[in-house]
């Protein structure tokens, strides 16, 4: 059975690319913004990992992830930020919550897959 990844990004080309790259190994759920993604979670869905952009309309990535991390139900879901923000390292270090990895766009698909595998391995070993 494939693990489920929730991908949140407002860029349709990124969503299509990530779906193409990752769908052989994972069940992919794509959402265009944090509102749609959080609504999907509230419907009782539980992905093994979230990949989110930071810069999105309506409910940006930082607000979405903050709400995930303060929630009792979703706070343990690992998160990878995938963003074109020029100051991504600074933004991540200033966040009041932990993300498991962050990757700059444009990204190397192999590096992304490696990050996903590493984050999932850490998460699984801590939940044994």
């Amino acid at each position: 059975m494939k693990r489920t990844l929730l991908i949140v990004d407002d860029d349709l080309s990124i969503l299509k690319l990530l779906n193409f790259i990752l769908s052989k190994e994972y069940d992919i759920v794509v959402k265009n913004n944090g509102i749609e993604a959080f609504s999907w979670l509230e419907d009782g869905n539980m992905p093994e990992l979230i990949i989110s952009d930071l810069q999105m309309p309506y409910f940006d990535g930082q607000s979405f992830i903050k709400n995930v991390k303060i929630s009792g139900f979703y706070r343990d879901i690992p998160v990878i930020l995938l963003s074109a923000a020029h100051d991504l390292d600074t933004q991540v270090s200033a966040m009041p919550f932990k993300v498991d990895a962050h990757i700059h766009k444009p990204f190397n698909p192999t590096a992304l897959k490696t990050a996903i595998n590493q984050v999932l391995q850490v998460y699984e070993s801590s939940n044994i």
Side-chain angles (χ1 to χ4, degrees), residues 104-125:
H104 294 270
K105 292 179 188 173
F107 62 94
N108 176 317
T110 303
L112 176 61
K113 286 181 176 183
T114 299
I116 291 169
N117 288 332
Q118 288 174 342
V119 168
L120 288 173
Q121 285 176 353
V122 168
Y123 178 73
E124 288 171 354
S125 66

Side-chain angles (χ1 to χ4, degrees), residues 9-21:
D9 200 310
D10 62 320
D11 186 334
L12 183 59
S13 62
I14 293 292
L15 292 174
K16 286 182 177 183
L17 177 62
L18 290 172
N19 190 49
F20 177 77
I21 292 168

Side-chain angles (χ1 to χ4, degrees), residues 3 26 33 47 70 74 79 85 89 93 98 102 105 107 114:
R3 297 178 188 151
Y26 304 98
N33 59 57
I70 64 173
Y74 317 116
V79 174
D89 296 327
S93 64
K98 177 186 171 277
H102 61 282
K105 292 179 188 173
F107 62 94
T114 299

Side-chain angles (χ1 to χ4, degrees), residues 40-105:
W40 181 81
L41 290 170
E42 288 181 325
D43 285 341
N45 298 295
M46 188 67 75
E48 277 75 23
L49 181 121
I50 296 171
I51 299 173
S52 179
D53 189 8
L54 275 180
Q55 301 164 325
M56 297 180 288
Y58 312 118
F59 195 52
D60 67 15
Q62 185 163 341
S63 298
F64 166 64
I65 295 165
K66 178 182 176 185
N67 279 280
V68 166
K69 291 301 182 181
I70 64 173
S71 164
F73 294 112
Y74 317 116
R75 69 174 161 233
D76 294 329
I77 300 171
V79 174
I80 295 177
L81 287 179
L82 182 64
S83 180
H86 68 280
D87 59 345
L88 182 59
D89 296 327
T90 304
Q91 287 188 44
V92 168
S93 64
M95 290 178 179
F97 50 83
K98 177 186 171 277
V99 295
D100 299 276
H102 61 282
I103 298 174
H104 294 270
K105 292 179 188 173

Side-chain angles (χ1 to χ4, degrees), residues 17-36:
L17 177 62
L18 290 172
N19 190 49
F20 177 77
I21 292 168
L22 301 171
S23 63
K24 290 179 183 167
E25 297 174 55
Y26 304 98
D27 285 327
I28 305 298
V29 175
V30 296
K31 299 297 175 187
N32 294 313
N33 59 57
I35 293 172
E36 289 180 11

